[in-house]
């Protein structure tokens, strides 16, 4: 079944009009409201954080993952991040850390506009979905030590 272009355009307009603007979600140094309707799942979040194909977090970060070899040292350790940052602060850093530090090497996992050096296949696409970001937030919030 072929969907008429006018219907696709209407759906896109509805999403853009009904979704709060990215900047409107930010309060101080945090994004307090969830990006997805359902709460995140820490188990799925752990799988994303430790994945060498999905999150790629361990390329730059290290953490309490003794089974994972070759953890990064370019960014802060994820150990204890749940004690240092609120869920909203973690969420903003994952969704778009450049809102806090324009010179960061942390990729914007949700924002898709105004980015540099994005591979053609990734242009206009987030690295993680809103639900996946919520999963990662739920997991990182559990890292208290």
């Amino acid at each position: 079944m072929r969907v008429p272009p006018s219907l696709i355009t209407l759906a896109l307009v509805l999403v853009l009009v009904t979704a709060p603007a990215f900047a409107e979600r930010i309060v101080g140094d945090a994004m307090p409201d969830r990006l997805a309707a359902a709460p995140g799942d820490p188990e799925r979040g752990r799988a994303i954080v430790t994945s060498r194909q999905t999150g790629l977090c361990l390329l730059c970060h290290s953490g309490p993952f003794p089974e994972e070899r070759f953890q990064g040292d370019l960014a802060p350790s994820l150990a204890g991040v749940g004690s240092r940052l609120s869920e909203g602060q973690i969420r903003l850093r994952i969704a778009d850390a450049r809102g806090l530090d324009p010179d960061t090497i942390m990729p914007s996992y949700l924002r898709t506009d105004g980015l540099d050096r994005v591979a053609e296949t990734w242009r206009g696409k987030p690295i993680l979905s809103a639900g996946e970001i919520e999963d990662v937030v739920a997991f990182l919030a559990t890292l208290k030590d």
Side-chain angles (χ1 to χ4, degrees), residues 3 5 19-20 25 30 37 42 44 46-47 66 81 86-87 96 100 105 108 112 114 118-119 122 128 136 138 143:
V3 179
R25 292 178 172 268
R44 286 192 309 252
R46 186 183 202 289
V81 70
S86 70
E87 286 188 13
D96 184 24
L100 298 167
I105 61 171
S108 297
T112 59
V118 177
W122 283 100
L128 297 176
V136 171
L143 299 180

Side-chain angles (χ1 to χ4, degrees), residues 74-112:
L74 295 174
S77 172
L78 297 176
V81 70
S83 294
R84 294 189 308 270
L85 301 174
S86 70
E87 286 188 13
Q89 290 170 316
I90 295 169
R91 185 176 293 110
L92 178 56
R93 282 153 178 79
I94 297 167
D96 184 24
R98 290 196 178 152
L100 298 167
D101 179 3
D103 297 324
T104 186
I105 61 171
M106 173 94 170
S108 297
Y109 280 84
L110 185 64
R111 188 169 63 91
T112 59

Side-chain angles (χ1 to χ4, degrees), residues 5-133:
S6 59
L7 190 56
I8 293 171
T9 302
L10 176 61
L12 181 59
V13 168
L14 286 174
V15 167
L16 292 174
V17 169
T18 58
F22 195 86
E24 292 173 9
R25 292 178 172 268
I26 299 170
V27 178
D29 69 342
M31 190 177 282
D33 296 328
R34 282 196 317 243
L35 297 168
D41 178 281
E43 199 169 303
R44 286 192 309 252
R46 186 183 202 289
I48 292 168
V49 167
T50 58
S51 169
R52 304 274 180 188
Q53 288 78 40
T54 309
L56 301 169
C57 304
L58 299 183
L59 288 177
C60 297
H61 296 275
S62 62
F65 317 108
E67 74 282 5
E68 296 295 330
R69 296 177 48 188
F70 309 114
Q71 296 182 31
D73 62 2
L74 295 174
S77 172
L78 297 176
V81 70
S83 294
R84 294 189 308 270
L85 301 174
S86 70
E87 286 188 13
Q89 290 170 316
I90 295 169
R91 185 176 293 110
L92 178 56
R93 282 153 178 79
I94 297 167
D96 184 24
R98 290 196 178 152
L100 298 167
D101 179 3
D103 297 324
T104 186
I105 61 171
M106 173 94 170
S108 297
Y109 280 84
L110 185 64
R111 188 169 63 91
T112 59
D113 62 322
L115 303 175
D116 298 324
R117 297 174 295 197
V118 177
E120 184 67 36
T121 56
W122 283 100
R123 287 195 186 134
K125 299 175 191 172
I127 296 171
L128 297 176
S129 70
E132 289 171 321
I133 289 174

